[in-house]
Amino acid sequence: MRVLRCYNSDIYRYKFTLFNELYFLVAGGTVWIDSGVPSSDSVSTRTARPEVTKVKSIKNGVQVEQTAYNGYGEDNQLSSPDKLSGSSTDGDDVGRFLYLEGVEYVMWCTYDVHFYASFALLALFPKIELSIQREFAKAVLCEDGRKVKFLAEGNWGIRKPRGAIPHDLGMHDPWHEMNAYNIHDTSKWKDLNPKFVLQVYRDFAATGDFSFATEVWPSVCAAMEYMDQFDHDNDCLIENDGFPDQTYDTWTVHGISAYCGGLWLAALQAAAAMAMHVGDYAFAEKYKGKLIKAKTVYEEKLWNGSYFNYDSGSSSNSKSIQADQLAGQWYMASSGLPDLFDGVKIKSALQKIYDFNVMKVRGGRMGAVNGMHPNGKVDDTCMQSREIWTGVTYGVAATMLHAGMEEQAFTTAEGIFTAGWSEDGYGYSFQTPEGWTTDGHFRSLIYMRPLSIWGMQWALSMPKTILDAPQVNIMDRIQVNPYTPQETGVRKIVKKAKCCFNNSIFSCSC
């Protein structure tokens, strides 16, 4: 374990918290079973494009047409666990893994939260992390047309549309019945699909596993294309729809948002970079163009000179300072990809978060509050805006480390140690909650997100990836001749990926 440039007063607290937060992987609710991977002489579906068929069934007297994908039956449930195996070889098979969002929110592998917690699995159990990503990659391409009532709005919708990342892998019948969450329609959330693309690229870059990349590439394409419906004005930037359509599921967003918009910019860059690695140059060109246009709009609408506004709307909290506004940038730095913004803006936004969201709350001894008005008052628009989220605080600290702001990073993270783990704190040891308020009221004990402290360790001792990330200035010179026939199919992608890996992606002539 290598820890770089920790200040002496922080080393003990950091190491103490880093290792102790791992309690969640065994005490928070974990299932690890055999996957039942087919023998090597059986037909492998790892590199085959998904086989999609239409099936009809009768639901409550109404004929329903649904999509069946590979091992999914008429309800799009798995007909056998073998059909969603993590790998086709015994050497790669680590079984099937589930862990709860928390002991109060009983859903398996909640994906918007796994976005934060996954650094622990990637650092310590990378094959388990890849197996989870494979589960979600398969799920992207399936549809479950059964009707569900969403509690917040009182409307009805289908459980899982094709192209949408499921919120979770289920509750009562995991893998077979996804999306146990039914407060909002998560198929309209703006952060889930970008988070899938970002995690897939990060994991690919960290492991160099090209078989994983080619297996999940069709799902990456589907996840990106699904998001087109949320670009309402054709400026290549997605908009939020005036309800809490994100992991902050009580915090309403209007128009372009710093959080979801930033994740989308990062996903555009990650998808374009991954496309180049797997040889899909037409896709890379398309999404590189989207990134350039979307980034200009994002900065014009949200940058106010010192940080990115919460959203582009006109509500009372549209100019709030959101602690998590650079989540997309965090993943770019963690994946070895170019920064989304120039370094001056990144450091300015992080310093603003440190000065306001961290230091104006009990002198920095509680972590980073989610929302803060520019006048220095906590944003009390809703429950979540005024909460301090433990996992988000660690993520902000990790982003600071990537930006070279070590002192601010460790001070920020120390607030979680002080409030949650120290003898002077609230006594949450080995049951770290999702968050707490400035007066010490907690919500959701024993929660997944605080595993994001391993994002700090990732920043401190980031492994040397075998991949050379395509740089934006180089990507700008890549053009695809529209009159040149483009070979498609996973076999071609695999061929190009192997060639590019051996010969450098920018000198490859395959």
Side-chain angles (χ1 to χ4, degrees), residues 51-59 62-77 143-145:
E51 188 175 311
V52 180
T53 58
K54 292 291 184 179
V55 295
K56 293 183 179 180
S57 59
I58 303 296
K59 300 290 183 183
V62 178
Q63 181 172 279
V64 179
E65 184 177 79
Q66 299 170 347
T67 303
Y69 162 69
N70 282 350
Y72 290 81
E74 65 172 339
D75 286 334
N76 301 105
Q77 298 178 8
E143 181 172 299
D144 185 341

Side-chain angles (χ1 to χ4, degrees), residues 20 46 54 67 74 82 95 108 120 148 183 221 270 285 289 293 317 362 370 434 445 454 476 494:
N20 282 333
R46 289 192 74 207
K54 292 291 184 179
T67 303
E74 65 172 339
D82 295 351
W108 296 109
V148 175
I183 297 176
C221 295
E285 177 69 16
K293 185 175 180 180
N317 69 326
R362 301 289 178 89
N370 284 336
E434 159 78 308
L445 289 173
W454 282 84
D476 287 345
V494 172

Side-chain angles (χ1 to χ4, degrees), residues 227-491:
M227 297 299 290
D228 286 344
Q229 65 184 296
F230 304 123
D231 177 11
H232 302 306
D233 51 8
N234 297 315
D235 61 358
C236 298
L237 190 60
I238 62 171
E239 287 88 32
N240 293 81
D241 287 323
F243 76 100
D245 47 357
Q246 55 181 4
T247 193
Y248 299 90
D249 58 357
T250 69
W251 200 356
T252 298
V253 200
H254 300 277
I256 299 166
S257 73
Y259 182 68
C260 296
L263 290 172
W264 176 240
L265 294 182
L268 289 170
Q269 180 156 281
M274 190 169 180
M276 293 185 63
H277 281 298
V278 300
D280 194 341
Y281 299 114
F283 185 99
E285 177 69 16
K286 174 182 177 181
Y287 282 88
K288 175 212 63 175
K290 282 178 174 281
L291 170 63
I292 293 170
K293 185 175 180 180
K295 179 182 172 182
T296 300
V297 176
Y298 181 91
E299 295 197 51
E300 286 178 352
K301 294 290 181 69
L302 296 180
W303 181 252
N304 62 23
S306 59
Y307 65 94
F308 295 99
N309 290 335
Y310 176 69
D311 66 26
S312 62
S314 57
S315 64
S316 61
N317 69 326
S318 288
K319 290 182 169 52
S320 286
I321 308 161
Q322 184 178 12
D324 217 1
Q325 63 185 268
L326 290 177
Q329 169 58 29
W330 173 29
Y331 259 70
M332 293 299 89
S334 299
S335 305
L337 286 170
D339 290 338
L340 290 178
F341 316 105
D342 67 64
V344 173
K345 288 181 178 177
I346 292 170
K347 287 192 174 183
S348 174
L350 289 172
Q351 189 65 47
K352 191 76 173 185
I353 293 165
Y354 178 77
D355 291 340
F356 281 71
N357 301 59
V358 177
M359 298 308 294
K360 289 186 180 296
V361 179
R362 301 289 178 89
R365 295 176 60 81
M366 295 194 73
V369 69
N370 284 336
M372 177 72 78
H373 289 295
N375 63 5
K377 294 184 178 180
V378 172
D379 183 346
D380 60 358
T381 302
C382 67
M383 173 185 70
Q384 292 175 344
S385 64
R386 61 176 175 265
E387 286 181 330
I388 296 157
W389 282 10
T390 52
V392 167
T393 297
Y394 289 140
V396 171
T399 312
M400 291 173 173
L401 288 174
H402 284 295
M405 301 170 64
E406 290 91 349
E407 183 175 4
Q408 294 94 325
F410 285 108
T411 300
T412 297
E414 187 179 351
I416 305 302
F417 168 85
T418 301
W421 289 89
S422 75
E423 293 182 358
D424 298 328
Y426 296 115
Y428 299 139
S429 300
F430 298 103
Q431 51 183 350
T432 312
E434 159 78 308
W436 48 65
T437 56
T438 55
D439 57 5
H441 288 88
F442 69 87
R443 183 170 61 83
S444 189
L445 289 173
I446 312 180
Y447 198 75
M448 178 197 292
R449 206 181 317 249
L451 285 170
S452 63
I453 190 174
W454 282 84
M456 294 181 65
Q457 186 58 28
W458 194 262
L460 287 166
S461 55
M462 196 168 152
K464 181 176 174 57
T465 175
I466 68 166
L467 299 181
D468 292 322
Q471 299 296 306
V472 170
N473 60 337
I474 297 176
M475 290 172 64
D476 287 345
R477 296 200 298 267
I478 296 173
Q479 301 293 331
V480 177
N481 184 345
Y483 301 104
T484 301
Q486 298 296 314
E487 292 189 70
T488 59
V490 171
R491 183 161 57 180

Side-chain angles (χ1 to χ4, degrees), residues 129-143:
E129 166 63 11
L130 293 186
S131 75
I132 293 175
Q133 301 297 14
R134 287 186 173 104
E135 301 277 13
F136 280 91
K138 297 280 196 320
V140 172
L141 300 174
C142 79
E143 181 172 299

